[in-house]
Amino acid sequence: MTDIVFVLNGPNLNLLGTREPEIYGSDTLADIEARLESKARELGLVIDFRQTNHEGVLVDWLHEAREVRARAVLLNAAAYTHTSIALLDAIKAIGVPVIEVHLSDPATREAFRHISYIGMAAVDEVKGLGAEGYVVALEKAAAL
Ligand code: DQA
């Protein structure tokens, strides 16, 4: 195992900062990455922070986490959380612990957000804490 933690972000999270700020806050994804970089240094970890709007790319990156023997993956799969059996299968396949992250708390929102395929295989979850949730998730990854 290495000190690398993959931080994978799914669709529409590139628009954070301007995207429904009343739900997701006003931090951009770059702000979150900067915060995590500094927390990672503190924890002696290295983060590999990425965003894509494409489901298959997330699958490929999960496989890559296995190849590089990442310590953990923090995964905000965004809307694919609620639809993607492919991501569920990938998480089960890689043997790398995945921590589910959401800025909002999907359980308190529309019914279609209540199911999480990621949660069926993730070792832990952080929801509803906004950008700070990524930091909390990294601390959890450090403790694995
Ligand atoms: C989200 C919650 C999802 O329901 C939604 O589709 C997102 C963002 C969050 O971080 O709160 O895109 O994952």
Side-chain angles (χ1 to χ4, degrees):
M1 194 180 43
T2 62
D3 292 331
I4 301 171
V5 175
F6 276 29
V7 186
L8 305 182
N9 294 282
N12 302 305
L13 293 171
N14 54 313
L15 300 181
L16 278 184
T18 56
R19 175 194 180 202
E20 299 182 272
E22 66 287 358
I23 297 174
Y24 299 117
S26 52
D27 284 321
T28 65
L29 205 56
D31 294 334
I32 294 174
E33 182 176 6
R35 252 160 102 168
L36 268 192
E37 285 284 5
S38 107
K39 177 54 81 173
R41 271 194 297 277
E42 213 179 291
L43 294 169
L45 296 173
V46 175
I47 58 163
D48 190 331
F49 193 97
R50 307 179 187 184
Q51 189 275 331
T52 177
N53 292 322
H54 305 279
E55 183 177 13
V57 174
L58 287 170
V59 171
D60 288 343
W61 286 348
L62 286 166
H63 295 180
E64 196 183 326
R66 177 174 83 152
E67 280 153 27
V68 305
R69 298 169 55 81
R71 173 186 292 226
V73 176
L74 311 188
L75 176 60
N76 185 348
Y80 291 135
T81 302
H82 317 299
T83 62
S84 182
I85 297 166
L87 287 176
L88 168 62
D89 285 348
I91 294 166
K92 285 181 168 172
I94 60 175
V96 176
V98 171
I99 299 177
E100 178 178 10
V101 181
H102 298 286
L103 296 145
S104 67
D105 182 356
T108 64
R109 300 179 61 196
E110 304 96 320
F112 62 81
R113 296 184 202 275
H114 295 182
I115 189 168
S116 170
Y117 287 97
I118 307 307
M120 293 176 196
V123 298
D124 209 340
E125 60 179 34
V126 181
K127 300 175 181 178
L129 299 181
E132 182 63 19
Y134 283 77
V135 174
V136 173
L138 191 63
E139 284 167 342
K140 286 174 179 275
L144 285 173

